[in-house]
């Protein structure tokens, strides 16, 4: 990727520049797919080898949101965080929960329209904690939510957005491994809203 970018800066030939840009995009797509395959393999392994502990889901959510702020800034997307000041305690494997939250936020930023807002909210719902990550983007385009949680399944409206079709699979598998649930629906006014529910400890 670095060599292609250097070559891109050094040439003025339009055909060459187009080819080099395609190469950079292909490298990015391959790197992303490899990363998500590794992430998914880790989730599958950790599901059987979990190290559960009591975690503050609010603190975890804030940390993940902070990590993605630079990515959101590149697309002029604002991350709006609504998390209680008091600890929200759940019992689970930190690596699994971080992976689920990371994929939720990554998906929202990736499919959101530029110069919009991604809303991340954590609230209590009876004996469960509910994290919702909502964007203003292309939505589900008629695809059934259950289909999007299958491995390598992507919506018909993904266009040129790089992805492997594993992000929501990972979230769904973490939800079930932790005794929770996962759902994604179209958002009123455009976009999608993904919700992860986990039992309180």
């Amino acid at each position: 990727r670095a060599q292609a970018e250097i070559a891109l800066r050094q040439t003025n030939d339009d055909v060459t520049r187009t080819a080099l840009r395609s190469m950079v995009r292909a490298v990015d797509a391959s790197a992303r797919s490899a990363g998500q395959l590794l992430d998914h393999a880790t989730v599958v392994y950790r599901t059987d080898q979990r190290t559960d502990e009591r975690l503050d889901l609010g603190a975890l959510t804030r940390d993940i949101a902070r990590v993605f702020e630079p990515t959101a800034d590149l697309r002029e997307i604002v991350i709006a965080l609504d998390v209680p000041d008091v600890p929200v305690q759940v019992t689970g494997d930190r690596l699994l929960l971080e992976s689920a939250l990371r994929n939720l936020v990554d998906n929202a930023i990736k499919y959101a329209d530029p110069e919009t807002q991604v809303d991340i909210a954590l609230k209590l719902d009876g004996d469960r904690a509910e994290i919702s990550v909502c964007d203003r983007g292309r939505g589900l385009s008629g695809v059934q939510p259950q289909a999007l949680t299958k491995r390598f399944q992507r919506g018909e409206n993904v266009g040129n957005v790089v992805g492997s079709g594993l992000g929501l699979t990972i979230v769904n598998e973490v939800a079930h491994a932790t005794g929770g649930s996962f759902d994604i629906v179209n958002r009123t006014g455009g976009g999608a809203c993904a919700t992860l529910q986990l039992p309180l400890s």
Side-chain angles (χ1 to χ4, degrees), residues 61-122:
T61 303
R62 288 189 200 93
D63 289 345
I64 295 296
R66 195 176 301 116
V67 166
F68 278 96
E69 282 178 355
T71 305
D73 287 344
L74 288 173
R75 304 190 64 225
E76 297 185 50
I77 292 171
V78 175
I79 296 179
L81 199 59
D82 182 9
V83 176
D85 293 329
V86 296
V88 178
Q89 298 287 343
V90 297
T91 298
D93 185 293
R94 178 181 292 273
L95 189 148
L96 289 179
L97 293 179
E98 285 179 343
S99 180
L101 292 174
R102 192 167 58 246
N103 277 283
L104 280 177
V105 178
D106 179 58
N107 249 35
I109 294 172
K110 186 169 62 175
Y111 292 110
D113 291 335
E115 300 180 24
T116 57
Q117 182 169 294
V118 168
D119 299 299
I120 304 173
L122 171 61

Side-chain angles (χ1 to χ4, degrees), residues 104-183:
L104 280 177
V105 178
D106 179 58
N107 249 35
I109 294 172
K110 186 169 62 175
Y111 292 110
D113 291 335
E115 300 180 24
T116 57
Q117 182 169 294
V118 168
D119 299 299
I120 304 173
L122 171 61
K123 66 179 184 180
L124 301 180
D125 183 14
D127 61 350
R128 296 198 158 206
E130 180 179 288
I131 299 175
S132 62
V133 181
C134 305
D135 65 69
R136 290 293 182 193
R138 56 194 74 190
L140 305 185
S141 186
V143 179
Q144 292 298 313
Q146 296 85 353
L148 293 175
T149 60
K150 294 179 180 178
R151 295 178 189 180
F152 309 113
Q153 182 68 45
R154 303 184 74 200
E156 297 175 356
N157 62 344
V158 293
N160 61 348
V161 178
V162 175
S164 63
L166 281 172
L168 297 183
T169 303
I170 290 169
V171 178
N172 193 51
E173 290 181 357
V174 170
H176 288 295
T178 317
S181 63
F182 172 65
D183 192 27

